[in-house]
């Protein structure tokens, strides 16, 4: 994917080589940047990046650390637990009993893999948030009393469909990133930062919308199977 050649002065680099320069290691000040300080110190490339509206400490140029992601996931899981408790409390008040648990449309097998990193690192999406969650019955009593579909555990058919979509979304993002990388490093035929950000926002919304589209269909299929 990152094979296009771009030019810094007289030397040519592939985007793959640029990615190596952009390796996720901290700069001398301990901050890990997408474009590290050594790139900003290059008189041609640094000036070009600044002309494009970037600076070394732009939030978009700061990589999250593993600790940042751990904290982010923990906070999202806590919010999900709180929403689940509120859901069960409200449904119990209405029906006398409820024990529902979350079902993730994009499940943990995807989030724990390389494509999961694309979703949370590039798309800023977290699987524990509402957009990806259905509340389903944990037992038969809840299913009967509350009228909600039973939790099926993992659903390989759903996971397979979602995995194909995620792979396609990731490829689209990489293509946009490659085109933006051409522009950001002084090449021709790429896209602007604004165009890249627009494409990324569009793609992110498409992911959320697709999962939203799948939710009622998953419920309908579970109800059909469970009777």
């Amino acid at each position: 994917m990152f094979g296009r050649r771009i030019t810094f002065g007289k030397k040519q680099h592939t985007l793959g080589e640029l990615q190596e320069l952009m390796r996720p290691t901290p700069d001398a000040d301990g901050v890990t940047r997408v474009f590290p300080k050594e790139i900003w110190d290059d008189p041609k490339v640094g000036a070009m990046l600044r002309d494009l509206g970037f600076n070394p400490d732009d939030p978009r140029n700061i990589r999250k650390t593993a600790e940042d992601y751990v904290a982010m996931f923990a906070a999202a899981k806590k919010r999900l637990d709180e929403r689940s408790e509120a859901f069960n409390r409200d449904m119990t008040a209405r029906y006398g009993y409820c024990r529902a648990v979350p079902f993730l449309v994009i499940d943990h097998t995807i989030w724990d893999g390389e494509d999961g990193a694309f979703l949370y690192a590039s798309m800023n999406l977290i699987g524990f948030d509402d957009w990806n969650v259905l509340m389903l019955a944990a037992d038969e009593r809840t299913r009967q009393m509350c009228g909600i579909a039973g939790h099926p555990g993992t659903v390989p058919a759903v996971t397979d469909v979602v995995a194909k979509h995620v792979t396609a979304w990731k490829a689209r993002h990489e293509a946009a990133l490659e085109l933006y990388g051409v522009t950001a490093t002084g090449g021709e035929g790429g896209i602007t930062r604004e165009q890249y950000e627009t494409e990324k926002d569009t793609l992110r919304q498409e992911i959320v919308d697709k999962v939203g589209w799948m939710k009622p269909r998953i419920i309908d299929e579970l109800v059909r199977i469970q009777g």
Side-chain angles (χ1 to χ4, degrees):
M1 175 66 71
F2 291 89
R4 189 192 302 262
R5 288 203 167 268
I6 51 184
T7 303
F8 298 164
K10 294 182 179 180
K11 183 179 179 182
Q12 289 189 322
H13 299 264
T14 66
L15 282 176
E17 290 167 344
L18 179 61
Q19 280 195 314
E20 176 59 25
L21 288 173
M22 294 160 57
R23 61 195 179 280
T25 54
D27 287 330
D29 59 2
V31 177
T32 303
R33 294 175 173 83
V34 177
F35 292 98
K37 281 290 185 70
E38 63 191 86
I39 289 182
W40 292 92
D41 292 339
D42 183 289
K44 290 183 178 293
V45 180
M48 198 175 304
L49 289 170
R50 289 181 176 88
D51 287 344
L52 288 167
F54 280 104
N55 67 73
D57 295 318
D58 189 312
R60 291 166 298 182
N61 194 48
I62 305 300
R63 286 183 181 269
K64 287 185 173 68
T65 65
E67 290 77 14
D68 291 332
Y69 283 117
V70 168
M72 184 172 68
F73 298 146
K77 181 61 165 61
K78 183 175 184 292
R79 293 194 301 270
L80 175 58
D81 290 342
E82 291 169 350
R83 293 197 308 275
S84 298
E85 290 173 4
F87 181 91
N88 282 313
R89 185 169 56 249
D90 292 346
M91 294 292 279
T92 296
R94 184 181 303 179
Y95 297 107
Y97 176 84
C98 184
R99 191 165 75 88
V101 292
F103 173 87
L104 304 186
V105 178
I106 302 179
D107 72 13
H108 70 91
T109 62
I110 294 174
W111 289 100
D112 291 345
E114 183 179 347
D115 288 344
F118 152 69
L119 290 170
Y120 61 74
S122 298
M123 294 291 101
N124 198 30
L125 291 168
I126 303 177
F128 295 135
D129 286 344
D130 268 346
W131 69 277
N132 191 49
V133 176
L134 286 169
M135 293 301 294
L136 300 177
D139 55 34
E140 182 63 17
R141 185 182 176 192
T142 298
R143 193 173 78 86
Q144 294 293 338
M145 293 184 67
C146 301
I148 58 179
H151 197 297
T154 58
V155 183
V158 172
T159 300
D160 289 346
V161 169
V162 170
K164 291 176 182 176
H165 282 300
V166 174
T167 298
W169 290 325
K170 182 181 176 185
R172 276 179 53 189
H173 177 256
E174 288 181 345
L177 184 62
E178 179 177 1
L179 288 172
Y180 172 58
V182 170
T183 302
T185 52
E188 296 181 354
I191 60 176
T192 65
R193 184 187 72 188
E194 290 76 13
Q195 288 172 319
Y196 166 69
E197 293 292 345
T198 297
E199 173 63 17
K200 190 167 80 166
D201 289 344
T202 299
L203 183 55
R204 185 182 190 277
Q205 189 60 52
E206 182 178 318
I207 295 170
V208 172
D209 289 346
K210 184 64 176 181
V211 171
W213 179 88
M214 292 180 69
K215 283 183 175 182
R217 288 159 177 81
I218 291 171
I219 291 174
D220 288 347
E221 183 63 12
L222 290 174
V223 169
R224 184 189 69 80
I225 293 171
Q226 294 167 2

